[in-house]
């Protein structure tokens, strides 16, 4: 599904990802863990297609195609979904307008007719129930004044509406209380079809109490330095990251 080979990335002339290699097959759940500032979010930005993050070496193949030559919307139409660690606030655009627009953009790509508000609202409300979001958030401006946890729910709501194949979830667990974490982890598990691939990014293992990964990778100094199973996450919880330097 996703093949990253010897990837190097820089932002503002600063090298952040160095020689990162990672391979994710269809159906698998991978977790990338690592201390602050090692380049985890940089990886998610590169996958999303953020223009400030420049691939200087290496390859990213998504379903066999060169991801780096695809625009962010082509990536999304191709089934890639990236939830951000710090979701954007967009003043003047209601959540409903935004969510209906992304839903209809996907429908247009599938040659389906545009869906009006009346038809869209029941679909939206069903997904909002899944992520534990109250109806008042439909009319609020996109992420404006949302708490950290509310922003994360809104990210998973977008994921539920877009029906992606490959999901990158960057620190879904940060800023969430235990109940919100349980709800969102349940939603993420519920949305996981057998043919979908997940890449979770986190620096705490607590989300792994709810979402069970097939592989755990440790990222340090801009590359993957160790790969294991869930027991590696337990070991990191006990010993921290320093022993891997
Ligand atoms: P992580 O998600 O692992 O905590 P990040 O990928 O966010 O780490 O950041 C890795 C490093 O890259 C940090 O030192 C950060 O300050 C730097 N960095 C990320 N984005 C930018 C940017 N736009 N400009 C300058 N430095 C950046
Ligand atoms: Mg980060």
């Amino acid at each position: 599904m996703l093949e990253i080979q010897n990837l190097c990335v820089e932002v503002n002339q600063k090298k952040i990802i160095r020689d990162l290699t990672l391979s994710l097959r269809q159906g698998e759940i991978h977790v990338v863990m690592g201390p602050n500032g090692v380049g985890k979010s940089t990886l998610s930005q590169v996958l999303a297609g953020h223009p400030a993050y420049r691939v200087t070496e290496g390859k990213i193949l998504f379903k066999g195609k060169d991801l780096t030559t695809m625009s962010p919307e082509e990536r999304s139409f191709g089934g890639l979904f990236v939830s951000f660690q710090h979701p954007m606030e967009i003043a003047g655009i209601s959540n409903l307008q935004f969510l209906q627009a992304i839903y209809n953009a996907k429908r247009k790509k599938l040659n389906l007719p545009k869906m009006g508000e009346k038809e869209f609202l029941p679909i939206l409300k069903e997904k909002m129930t899944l992520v534990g979001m109250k109806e008042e958030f439909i009319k609020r401006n996109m992420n404006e004044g949302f708490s950290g946890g509310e922003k994360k729910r809104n990210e998973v709501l977008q994921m539920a509406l877009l029906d992606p194949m490959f999901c990158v979830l960057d620190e879904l667990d940060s800023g969430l209380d235990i109940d919100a974490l349980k709800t969102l982890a349940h939603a993420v598990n519920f949305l996981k079809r057998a043919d979908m691939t997940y890449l979770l990014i986190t620096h705490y293992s607590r989300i792994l109490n709810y979402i069970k990964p097939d592989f755990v990778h440790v990222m340090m100094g801009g590359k993957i330095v160790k790969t294991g199973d869930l027991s590696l996450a337990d070991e990191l919880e006990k010993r921290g990251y320093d022993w891997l330097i």
Side-chain angles (χ1 to χ4, degrees), residues 81-99 102 128 131 133 136-159 184:
F81 177 83
V82 178
S83 110
F84 294 113
Q85 182 177 353
H86 302 292
M88 280 277 229
E89 298 191 4
I90 309 177
I93 302 217
S94 76
N95 228 10
L96 175 63
Q97 284 171 320
F98 178 81
L99 296 167
I102 63 169
M128 287 178 82
V131 301
M133 219 164 152
E136 67 189 69
F137 286 90
I138 293 177
K139 298 280 183 211
R140 296 260 304 261
N141 280 344
M142 169 75 181
N143 288 331
E144 203 181 24
F146 285 27
S147 72
E150 287 160 355
K151 285 180 181 169
K152 296 296 161 98
R153 288 184 202 268
N154 218 18
E155 294 289 284
V156 181
L157 179 60
Q158 291 161 48
M159 171 177 158
L184 283 193

mmCIF file of all heavy atoms in Angstrom, residues 81-99 102 128 131 133 136-159 184:
data_model
loop_
_atom_site.group_PDB
_atom_site.id
_atom_site.type_symbol
_atom_site.label_atom_id
_atom_site.label_comp_id
_atom_site.label_asym_id
_atom_site.label_seq_id
_atom_site.Cartn_x
_atom_site.Cartn_y
_atom_site.Cartn_z
ATOM 1 N N PHE A 81 -5.681 9.425 3.624
ATOM 2 C CA PHE A 81 -6.246 10.378 4.573
ATOM 3 C C PHE A 81 -5.201 10.680 5.642
ATOM 4 O O PHE A 81 -4.592 9.767 6.195
ATOM 5 C CB PHE A 81 -7.512 9.814 5.233
ATOM 6 C CG PHE A 81 -8.083 10.734 6.265
ATOM 7 C CD1 PHE A 81 -8.916 11.775 5.894
ATOM 8 C CD2 PHE A 81 -7.753 10.599 7.605
ATOM 9 C CE1 PHE A 81 -9.420 12.672 6.832
ATOM 10 C CE2 PHE A 81 -8.245 11.479 8.558
ATOM 11 C CZ PHE A 81 -9.084 12.509 8.168
ATOM 12 N N VAL A 82 -4.990 11.953 5.925
ATOM 13 C CA VAL A 82 -4.033 12.334 6.972
ATOM 14 C C VAL A 82 -4.749 13.195 7.998
ATOM 15 O O VAL A 82 -5.334 14.226 7.650
ATOM 16 C CB VAL A 82 -2.822 13.098 6.382
ATOM 17 C CG1 VAL A 82 -1.868 13.523 7.494
ATOM 18 C CG2 VAL A 82 -2.085 12.261 5.348
ATOM 19 N N SER A 83 -4.743 12.756 9.247
ATOM 20 C CA SER A 83 -5.301 13.600 10.300
ATOM 21 C C SER A 83 -4.147 14.294 11.003
ATOM 22 O O SER A 83 -3.152 13.678 11.355
ATOM 23 C CB SER A 83 -6.151 12.767 11.250
ATOM 24 O OG SER A 83 -5.554 12.643 12.504
ATOM 25 N N PHE A 84 -4.270 15.611 11.144
ATOM 26 C CA PHE A 84 -3.151 16.413 11.629
ATOM 27 C C PHE A 84 -3.047 16.443 13.147
ATOM 28 O O PHE A 84 -4.059 16.389 13.845
ATOM 29 C CB PHE A 84 -3.251 17.838 11.089
ATOM 30 C CG PHE A 84 -3.084 17.911 9.600
ATOM 31 C CD1 PHE A 84 -4.133 18.291 8.788
ATOM 32 C CD2 PHE A 84 -1.871 17.562 9.006
ATOM 33 C CE1 PHE A 84 -3.986 18.340 7.404
ATOM 34 C CE2 PHE A 84 -1.718 17.602 7.632
ATOM 35 C CZ PHE A 84 -2.771 17.995 6.833
ATOM 36 N N GLN A 85 -1.810 16.579 13.606
ATOM 37 C CA GLN A 85 -1.583 16.732 15.040
ATOM 38 C C GLN A 85 -2.232 18.042 15.525
ATOM 39 O O GLN A 85 -2.846 18.065 16.582
ATOM 40 C CB GLN A 85 -0.076 16.750 15.330
ATOM 41 C CG GLN A 85 0.243 16.867 16.806
ATOM 42 C CD GLN A 85 1.743 16.809 17.083
ATOM 43 O OE1 GLN A 85 2.559 16.559 16.208
ATOM 44 N NE2 GLN A 85 2.102 17.053 18.318
ATOM 45 N N HIS A 86 -2.098 19.085 14.728
ATOM 46 C CA HIS A 86 -2.696 20.383 15.080
ATOM 47 C C HIS A 86 -3.641 20.813 13.956
ATOM 48 O O HIS A 86 -3.231 21.539 13.050
ATOM 49 C CB HIS A 86 -1.605 21.447 15.267
ATOM 50 C CG HIS A 86 -0.602 21.076 16.316
ATOM 51 N ND1 HIS A 86 -0.908 21.010 17.652
ATOM 52 C CD2 HIS A 86 0.699 20.714 16.215
ATOM 53 C CE1 HIS A 86 0.158 20.649 18.327
ATOM 54 N NE2 HIS A 86 1.150 20.456 17.485
ATOM 55 N N PRO A 87 -4.897 20.373 14.012
ATOM 56 C CA PRO A 87 -5.830 20.714 12.934
ATOM 57 C C PRO A 87 -6.042 22.226 12.813
ATOM 58 O O PRO A 87 -6.043 22.946 13.796
ATOM 59 C CB PRO A 87 -7.124 20.005 13.347
ATOM 60 C CG PRO A 87 -6.690 18.924 14.278
ATOM 61 C CD PRO A 87 -5.516 19.481 15.011
ATOM 62 N N MET A 88 -6.196 22.678 11.581
ATOM 63 C CA MET A 88 -6.370 24.091 11.244
ATOM 64 C C MET A 88 -7.723 24.620 11.683
ATOM 65 O O MET A 88 -8.732 23.940 11.525
ATOM 66 C CB MET A 88 -6.388 24.226 9.718
ATOM 67 C CG MET A 88 -5.073 24.216 9.091
ATOM 68 S SD MET A 88 -4.463 25.866 9.211
ATOM 69 C CE MET A 88 -3.963 26.072 7.540
ATOM 70 N N GLU A 89 -7.732 25.863 12.141
ATOM 71 C CA GLU A 89 -9.011 26.544 12.364
ATOM 72 C C GLU A 89 -9.290 27.380 11.110
ATOM 73 O O GLU A 89 -8.388 28.040 10.610
ATOM 74 C CB GLU A 89 -8.911 27.477 13.575
ATOM 75 C CG GLU A 89 -8.605 26.747 14.859
ATOM 76 C CD GLU A 89 -8.765 27.630 16.098
ATOM 77 O OE1 GLU A 89 -9.183 28.800 15.968
ATOM 78 O OE2 GLU A 89 -8.464 27.141 17.199
ATOM 79 N N ILE A 90 -10.504 27.317 10.606
ATOM 80 C CA ILE A 90 -10.842 28.127 9.438
ATOM 81 C C ILE A 90 -12.035 29.011 9.786
ATOM 82 O O ILE A 90 -13.170 28.542 9.893
ATOM 83 C CB ILE A 90 -11.149 27.268 8.197
ATOM 84 C CG1 ILE A 90 -10.029 26.250 7.952
ATOM 85 C CG2 ILE A 90 -11.335 28.161 6.967
ATOM 86 C CD1 ILE A 90 -10.278 25.309 6.779
ATOM 87 N N ALA A 91 -11.744 30.294 9.984
ATOM 88 C CA ALA A 91 -12.803 31.240 10.357
ATOM 89 C C ALA A 91 -13.704 31.497 9.153
ATOM 90 O O ALA A 91 -13.238 31.495 8.015
ATOM 91 C CB ALA A 91 -12.170 32.544 10.839
ATOM 92 N N GLY A 92 -14.986 31.681 9.403
ATOM 93 C CA GLY A 92 -15.907 32.057 8.327
ATOM 94 C C GLY A 92 -16.435 30.888 7.516
ATOM 95 O O GLY A 92 -17.242 31.081 6.611
ATOM 96 N N ILE A 93 -15.949 29.676 7.809
ATOM 97 C CA ILE A 93 -16.474 28.494 7.118
ATOM 98 C C ILE A 93 -17.063 27.561 8.162
ATOM 99 O O ILE A 93 -16.360 27.166 9.094
ATOM 100 C CB ILE A 93 -15.358 27.763 6.336
ATOM 101 C CG1 ILE A 93 -14.732 28.726 5.345
ATOM 102 C CG2 ILE A 93 -15.899 26.488 5.681
ATOM 103 C CD1 ILE A 93 -14.337 28.178 4.034
ATOM 104 N N SER A 94 -18.348 27.271 8.005
ATOM 105 C CA SER A 94 -18.960 26.409 9.018
ATOM 106 C C SER A 94 -18.497 24.973 8.806
ATOM 107 O O SER A 94 -18.114 24.583 7.701
ATOM 108 C CB SER A 94 -20.478 26.496 8.961
ATOM 109 O OG SER A 94 -20.965 25.756 7.860
ATOM 110 N N ASN A 95 -18.568 24.211 9.884
ATOM 111 C CA ASN A 95 -18.214 22.801 9.803
ATOM 112 C C ASN A 95 -19.070 22.111 8.744
ATOM 113 O O ASN A 95 -18.569 21.300 7.964
ATOM 114 C CB ASN A 95 -18.454 22.166 11.178
ATOM 115 C CG ASN A 95 -17.283 21.344 11.640
ATOM 116 O OD1 ASN A 95 -16.205 21.376 11.044
ATOM 117 N ND2 ASN A 95 -17.481 20.585 12.691
ATOM 118 N N LEU A 96 -20.364 22.467 8.716
ATOM 119 C CA LEU A 96 -21.259 21.851 7.731
ATOM 120 C C LEU A 96 -20.800 22.146 6.303
ATOM 121 O O LEU A 96 -20.700 21.242 5.476
ATOM 122 C CB LEU A 96 -22.701 22.351 7.934
ATOM 123 C CG LEU A 96 -23.708 21.862 6.889
ATOM 124 C CD1 LEU A 96 -23.853 20.345 6.933
ATOM 125 C CD2 LEU A 96 -25.079 22.509 7.115
ATOM 126 N N GLN A 97 -20.489 23.430 6.045
ATOM 127 C CA GLN A 97 -20.030 23.795 4.689
ATOM 128 C C GLN A 97 -18.789 22.992 4.311
ATOM 129 O O GLN A 97 -18.688 22.456 3.206
ATOM 130 C CB GLN A 97 -19.673 25.290 4.628
ATOM 131 C CG GLN A 97 -20.868 26.212 4.573
ATOM 132 C CD GLN A 97 -20.427 27.667 4.745
ATOM 133 O OE1 GLN A 97 -19.550 27.991 5.548
ATOM 134 N NE2 GLN A 97 -21.047 28.548 3.990
ATOM 135 N N PHE A 98 -17.848 22.937 5.249
ATOM 136 C CA PHE A 98 -16.587 22.243 4.963
ATOM 137 C C PHE A 98 -16.818 20.759 4.728
ATOM 138 O O PHE A 98 -16.357 20.188 3.739
ATOM 139 C CB PHE A 98 -15.601 22.458 6.124
ATOM 140 C CG PHE A 98 -14.300 21.728 5.926
ATOM 141 C CD1 PHE A 98 -13.309 22.258 5.117
ATOM 142 C CD2 PHE A 98 -14.075 20.500 6.532
ATOM 143 C CE1 PHE A 98 -12.116 21.577 4.904
ATOM 144 C CE2 PHE A 98 -12.890 19.812 6.325
ATOM 145 C CZ PHE A 98 -11.910 20.356 5.514
ATOM 146 N N LEU A 99 -17.557 20.127 5.642
ATOM 147 C CA LEU A 99 -17.737 18.674 5.558
ATOM 148 C C LEU A 99 -18.552 18.287 4.329
ATOM 149 O O LEU A 99 -18.256 17.295 3.657
ATOM 150 C CB LEU A 99 -18.385 18.154 6.847
ATOM 151 C CG LEU A 99 -17.524 18.348 8.103
ATOM 152 C CD1 LEU A 99 -18.345 18.103 9.362
ATOM 153 C CD2 LEU A 99 -16.299 17.448 8.081
ATOM 154 N N ILE A 102 -16.206 18.566 1.253
ATOM 155 C CA ILE A 102 -15.259 17.457 1.030
ATOM 156 C C ILE A 102 -16.013 16.193 0.609
ATOM 157 O O ILE A 102 -15.545 15.434 -0.233
ATOM 158 C CB ILE A 102 -14.328 17.181 2.243
ATOM 159 C CG1 ILE A 102 -15.099 16.749 3.498
ATOM 160 C CG2 ILE A 102 -13.442 18.373 2.553
ATOM 161 C CD1 ILE A 102 -14.211 16.217 4.624
ATOM 162 N N MET A 128 -21.310 11.655 13.225
ATOM 163 C CA MET A 128 -21.037 12.459 14.428
ATOM 164 C C MET A 128 -21.318 11.639 15.681
ATOM 165 O O MET A 128 -20.592 11.752 16.674
ATOM 166 C CB MET A 128 -21.867 13.743 14.426
ATOM 167 C CG MET A 128 -21.345 14.757 13.412
ATOM 168 S SD MET A 128 -22.336 16.254 13.331
ATOM 169 C CE MET A 128 -21.694 17.180 14.707
ATOM 170 N N VAL A 131 -18.330 9.434 16.411
ATOM 171 C CA VAL A 131 -17.163 10.070 17.033
ATOM 172 C C VAL A 131 -17.525 10.833 18.312
ATOM 173 O O VAL A 131 -16.681 11.502 18.904
ATOM 174 C CB VAL A 131 -16.414 11.010 16.049
ATOM 175 C CG1 VAL A 131 -15.953 10.237 14.831
ATOM 176 C CG2 VAL A 131 -17.249 12.210 15.643
ATOM 177 N N MET A 133 -19.690 13.411 18.778
ATOM 178 C CA MET A 133 -19.729 14.866 18.618
ATOM 179 C C MET A 133 -21.167 15.371 18.678
ATOM 180 O O MET A 133 -22.048 14.815 18.030
ATOM 181 C CB MET A 133 -19.136 15.203 17.244
ATOM 182 C CG MET A 133 -18.301 16.419 17.236
ATOM 183 S SD MET A 133 -17.354 16.358 15.714
ATOM 184 C CE MET A 133 -17.142 18.071 15.482
ATOM 185 N N GLU A 136 -24.452 20.570 17.918
ATOM 186 C CA GLU A 136 -24.157 22.008 17.848
ATOM 187 C C GLU A 136 -22.895 22.289 17.019
ATOM 188 O O GLU A 136 -22.717 23.402 16.508
ATOM 189 C CB GLU A 136 -23.990 22.572 19.267
ATOM 190 C CG GLU A 136 -22.758 22.014 19.974
ATOM 191 C CD GLU A 136 -22.670 22.378 21.457
ATOM 192 O OE1 GLU A 136 -23.493 21.862 22.231
ATOM 193 O OE2 GLU A 136 -21.778 23.155 21.805
ATOM 194 N N PHE A 137 -22.039 21.287 16.851
ATOM 195 C CA PHE A 137 -20.791 21.490 16.101
ATOM 196 C C PHE A 137 -21.008 21.593 14.589
ATOM 197 O O PHE A 137 -20.113 21.994 13.863
ATOM 198 C CB PHE A 137 -19.785 20.375 16.416
ATOM 199 C CG PHE A 137 -19.172 20.527 17.765
ATOM 200 C CD1 PHE A 137 -19.757 19.943 18.881
ATOM 201 C CD2 PHE A 137 -18.030 21.300 17.944
ATOM 202 C CE1 PHE A 137 -19.207 20.104 20.141
ATOM 203 C CE2 PHE A 137 -17.469 21.469 19.197
ATOM 204 C CZ PHE A 137 -18.063 20.871 20.308
ATOM 205 N N ILE A 138 -22.216 21.253 14.146
ATOM 206 C CA ILE A 138 -22.520 21.353 12.711
ATOM 207 C C ILE A 138 -22.436 22.810 12.252
ATOM 208 O O ILE A 138 -21.907 23.109 11.198
ATOM 209 C CB ILE A 138 -23.946 20.790 12.424
ATOM 210 C CG1 ILE A 138 -23.973 19.276 12.676
ATOM 211 C CG2 ILE A 138 -24.389 21.116 11.004
ATOM 212 C CD1 ILE A 138 -25.346 18.645 12.492
ATOM 213 N N LYS A 139 -22.952 23.706 13.089
ATOM 214 C CA LYS A 139 -23.050 25.126 12.693
ATOM 215 C C LYS A 139 -21.824 25.943 13.100
ATOM 216 O O LYS A 139 -21.675 27.083 12.666
ATOM 217 C CB LYS A 139 -24.301 25.764 13.328
ATOM 218 C CG LYS A 139 -25.607 25.137 12.877
ATOM 219 C CD LYS A 139 -26.041 25.645 11.513
ATOM 220 C CE LYS A 139 -27.391 25.049 11.125
ATOM 221 N NZ LYS A 139 -27.586 24.854 9.712
ATOM 222 N N ARG A 140 -20.985 25.369 13.957
ATOM 223 C CA ARG A 140 -19.798 26.126 14.397
ATOM 224 C C ARG A 140 -18.821 26.294 13.240
ATOM 225 O O ARG A 140 -18.809 25.501 12.305
ATOM 226 C CB ARG A 140 -19.092 25.363 15.534
ATOM 227 C CG ARG A 140 -19.903 25.207 16.803
ATOM 228 C CD ARG A 140 -19.524 26.204 17.877
ATOM 229 N NE ARG A 140 -18.119 26.202 18.262
ATOM 230 C CZ ARG A 140 -17.647 25.586 19.345
ATOM 231 N NH1 ARG A 140 -18.436 24.889 20.127
ATOM 232 N NH2 ARG A 140 -16.366 25.682 19.656
ATOM 233 N N ASN A 141 -17.962 27.319 13.337
ATOM 234 C CA ASN A 141 -16.925 27.471 12.319
ATOM 235 C C ASN A 141 -15.899 26.351 12.463
ATOM 236 O O ASN A 141 -15.622 25.884 13.570
ATOM 237 C CB ASN A 141 -16.231 28.831 12.456
ATOM 238 C CG ASN A 141 -17.058 29.943 11.830
ATOM 239 O OD1 ASN A 141 -17.987 29.667 11.057
ATOM 240 N ND2 ASN A 141 -16.732 31.174 12.157
ATOM 241 N N MET A 142 -15.339 25.978 11.340
ATOM 242 C CA MET A 142 -14.416 24.850 11.231
ATOM 243 C C MET A 142 -13.276 24.945 12.262
ATOM 244 O O MET A 142 -12.390 25.800 12.139
ATOM 245 C CB MET A 142 -13.860 24.881 9.800
ATOM 246 C CG MET A 142 -12.710 23.973 9.528
ATOM 247 S SD MET A 142 -13.289 22.291 9.411
ATOM 248 C CE MET A 142 -11.728 21.481 9.137
ATOM 249 N N ASN A 143 -13.357 24.118 13.287
ATOM 250 C CA ASN A 143 -12.351 24.019 14.348
ATOM 251 C C ASN A 143 -12.146 25.280 15.188
ATOM 252 O O ASN A 143 -11.333 25.284 16.110
ATOM 253 C CB ASN A 143 -10.978 23.579 13.798
ATOM 254 C CG ASN A 143 -10.975 22.117 13.396
ATOM 255 O OD1 ASN A 143 -11.702 21.303 13.951
ATOM 256 N ND2 ASN A 143 -10.144 21.779 12.420
ATOM 257 N N GLU A 144 -12.877 26.358 14.878
ATOM 258 C CA GLU A 144 -12.625 27.626 15.568
ATOM 259 C C GLU A 144 -13.074 27.537 17.021
ATOM 260 O O GLU A 144 -14.254 27.284 17.288
ATOM 261 C CB GLU A 144 -13.356 28.765 14.860
ATOM 262 C CG GLU A 144 -12.729 30.116 15.146
ATOM 263 C CD GLU A 144 -13.474 31.255 14.455
ATOM 264 O OE1 GLU A 144 -14.663 31.106 14.148
ATOM 265 O OE2 GLU A 144 -12.854 32.301 14.252
ATOM 266 N N GLY A 145 -12.125 27.739 17.934
ATOM 267 C CA GLY A 145 -12.427 27.665 19.356
ATOM 268 C C GLY A 145 -12.700 26.253 19.856
ATOM 269 O O GLY A 145 -13.089 26.081 21.011
ATOM 270 N N PHE A 146 -12.497 25.250 19.024
ATOM 271 C CA PHE A 146 -12.667 23.861 19.483
ATOM 272 C C PHE A 146 -11.551 23.525 20.473
ATOM 273 O O PHE A 146 -10.413 23.989 20.310
ATOM 274 C CB PHE A 146 -12.552 22.862 18.310
ATOM 275 C CG PHE A 146 -13.735 22.787 17.370
ATOM 276 C CD1 PHE A 146 -14.573 23.875 17.180
ATOM 277 C CD2 PHE A 146 -13.996 21.624 16.663
ATOM 278 C CE1 PHE A 146 -15.651 23.798 16.297
ATOM 279 C CE2 PHE A 146 -15.066 21.547 15.788
ATOM 280 C CZ PHE A 146 -15.894 22.625 15.599
ATOM 281 N N SER A 147 -11.845 22.700 21.458
ATOM 282 C CA SER A 147 -10.788 22.216 22.341
ATOM 283 C C SER A 147 -9.949 21.212 21.551
ATOM 284 O O SER A 147 -10.355 20.770 20.458
ATOM 285 C CB SER A 147 -11.399 21.526 23.554
ATOM 286 O OG SER A 147 -11.954 20.286 23.163
ATOM 287 N N GLY A 148 -8.788 20.844 22.129
ATOM 288 C CA GLY A 148 -7.919 19.876 21.456
ATOM 289 C C GLY A 148 -8.661 18.596 21.100
ATOM 290 O O GLY A 148 -8.560 18.086 19.981
ATOM 291 N N GLY A 149 -9.436 18.102 22.073
ATOM 292 C CA GLY A 149 -10.175 16.856 21.864
ATOM 293 C C GLY A 149 -11.270 16.991 20.808
ATOM 294 O O GLY A 149 -11.495 16.078 20.013
ATOM 295 N N GLU A 150 -11.934 18.160 20.802
ATOM 296 C CA GLU A 150 -12.995 18.388 19.804
ATOM 297 C C GLU A 150 -12.411 18.435 18.388
ATOM 298 O O GLU A 150 -13.011 17.944 17.434
ATOM 299 C CB GLU A 150 -13.749 19.684 20.134
ATOM 300 C CG GLU A 150 -14.657 19.523 21.352
ATOM 301 C CD GLU A 150 -15.054 20.843 22.018
ATOM 302 O OE1 GLU A 150 -14.556 21.927 21.607
ATOM 303 O OE2 GLU A 150 -15.829 20.794 22.980
ATOM 304 N N LYS A 151 -11.219 19.018 18.287
ATOM 305 C CA LYS A 151 -10.548 19.050 16.968
ATOM 306 C C LYS A 151 -10.224 17.634 16.502
ATOM 307 O O LYS A 151 -10.360 17.315 15.324
ATOM 308 C CB LYS A 151 -9.252 19.873 17.041
ATOM 309 C CG LYS A 151 -9.499 21.364 17.086
ATOM 310 C CD LYS A 151 -8.193 22.135 17.150
ATOM 311 C CE LYS A 151 -8.480 23.632 17.212
ATOM 312 N NZ LYS A 151 -7.298 24.419 17.538
ATOM 313 N N LYS A 152 -9.789 16.797 17.436
ATOM 314 C CA LYS A 152 -9.454 15.409 17.071
ATOM 315 C C LYS A 152 -10.701 14.634 16.647
ATOM 316 O O LYS A 152 -10.674 13.835 15.724
ATOM 317 C CB LYS A 152 -8.731 14.686 18.215
ATOM 318 C CG LYS A 152 -7.360 15.295 18.564
ATOM 319 C CD LYS A 152 -6.384 15.174 17.406
ATOM 320 C CE LYS A 152 -5.220 16.129 17.509
ATOM 321 N NZ LYS A 152 -4.017 15.581 18.056
ATOM 322 N N ARG A 153 -11.807 14.884 17.318
ATOM 323 C CA ARG A 153 -13.068 14.239 16.905
ATOM 324 C C ARG A 153 -13.434 14.673 15.495
ATOM 325 O O ARG A 153 -13.897 13.877 14.683
ATOM 326 C CB ARG A 153 -14.214 14.648 17.845
ATOM 327 C CG ARG A 153 -14.149 14.043 19.224
ATOM 328 C CD ARG A 153 -15.392 14.468 20.010
ATOM 329 N NE ARG A 153 -15.204 14.386 21.436
ATOM 330 C CZ ARG A 153 -15.510 13.314 22.182
ATOM 331 N NH1 ARG A 153 -16.019 12.248 21.623
ATOM 332 N NH2 ARG A 153 -15.304 13.314 23.478
ATOM 333 N N ASN A 154 -13.205 15.968 15.220
ATOM 334 C CA ASN A 154 -13.531 16.497 13.895
ATOM 335 C C ASN A 154 -12.655 15.862 12.810
ATOM 336 O O ASN A 154 -13.105 15.677 11.680
ATOM 337 C CB ASN A 154 -13.358 18.016 13.905
ATOM 338 C CG ASN A 154 -14.402 18.735 13.088
ATOM 339 O OD1 ASN A 154 -15.461 18.170 12.758
ATOM 340 N ND2 ASN A 154 -14.130 19.972 12.719
ATOM 341 N N GLU A 155 -11.419 15.530 13.157
ATOM 342 C CA GLU A 155 -10.535 14.854 12.198
ATOM 343 C C GLU A 155 -11.077 13.466 11.869
ATOM 344 O O GLU A 155 -11.132 13.062 10.713
ATOM 345 C CB GLU A 155 -9.108 14.730 12.770
ATOM 346 C CG GLU A 155 -8.377 16.036 12.965
ATOM 347 C CD GLU A 155 -7.964 16.715 11.674
ATOM 348 O OE1 GLU A 155 -6.995 16.276 11.034
ATOM 349 O OE2 GLU A 155 -8.632 17.697 11.296
ATOM 350 N N VAL A 156 -11.475 12.734 12.917
ATOM 351 C CA VAL A 156 -11.983 11.371 12.691
ATOM 352 C C VAL A 156 -13.332 11.416 11.965
ATOM 353 O O VAL A 156 -13.649 10.535 11.167
ATOM 354 C CB VAL A 156 -12.057 10.561 14.008
ATOM 355 C CG1 VAL A 156 -12.567 9.153 13.751
ATOM 356 C CG2 VAL A 156 -10.687 10.497 14.669
ATOM 357 N N LEU A 157 -14.084 12.495 12.204
ATOM 358 C CA LEU A 157 -15.339 12.684 11.480
ATOM 359 C C LEU A 157 -15.074 12.806 9.968
ATOM 360 O O LEU A 157 -15.761 12.193 9.144
ATOM 361 C CB LEU A 157 -16.048 13.946 12.000
ATOM 362 C CG LEU A 157 -17.370 14.334 11.361
ATOM 363 C CD1 LEU A 157 -18.411 13.224 11.524
ATOM 364 C CD2 LEU A 157 -17.910 15.628 11.969
ATOM 365 N N GLN A 158 -14.042 13.573 9.614
ATOM 366 C CA GLN A 158 -13.668 13.704 8.192
ATOM 367 C C GLN A 158 -13.247 12.358 7.617
ATOM 368 O O GLN A 158 -13.600 12.000 6.496
ATOM 369 C CB GLN A 158 -12.533 14.717 8.033
ATOM 370 C CG GLN A 158 -12.957 16.146 8.313
ATOM 371 C CD GLN A 158 -11.771 17.049 8.602
ATOM 372 O OE1 GLN A 158 -10.778 17.049 7.889
ATOM 373 N NE2 GLN A 158 -11.864 17.826 9.660
ATOM 374 N N MET A 159 -12.503 11.621 8.427
ATOM 375 C CA MET A 159 -12.060 10.287 8.000
ATOM 376 C C MET A 159 -13.269 9.394 7.717
ATOM 377 O O MET A 159 -13.333 8.696 6.705
ATOM 378 C CB MET A 159 -11.166 9.697 9.098
ATOM 379 C CG MET A 159 -10.789 8.258 8.928
ATOM 380 S SD MET A 159 -9.677 7.800 10.294
ATOM 381 C CE MET A 159 -9.922 6.024 10.278
ATOM 382 N N LEU A 184 -12.891 7.688 20.411
ATOM 383 C CA LEU A 184 -12.224 7.833 19.113
ATOM 384 C C LEU A 184 -11.519 6.556 18.688
ATOM 385 O O LEU A 184 -11.526 6.188 17.515
ATOM 386 C CB LEU A 184 -11.252 9.010 19.132
ATOM 387 C CG LEU A 184 -11.909 10.376 19.030
ATOM 388 C CD1 LEU A 184 -10.881 11.457 18.734
ATOM 389 C CD2 LEU A 184 -12.981 10.410 17.939
#
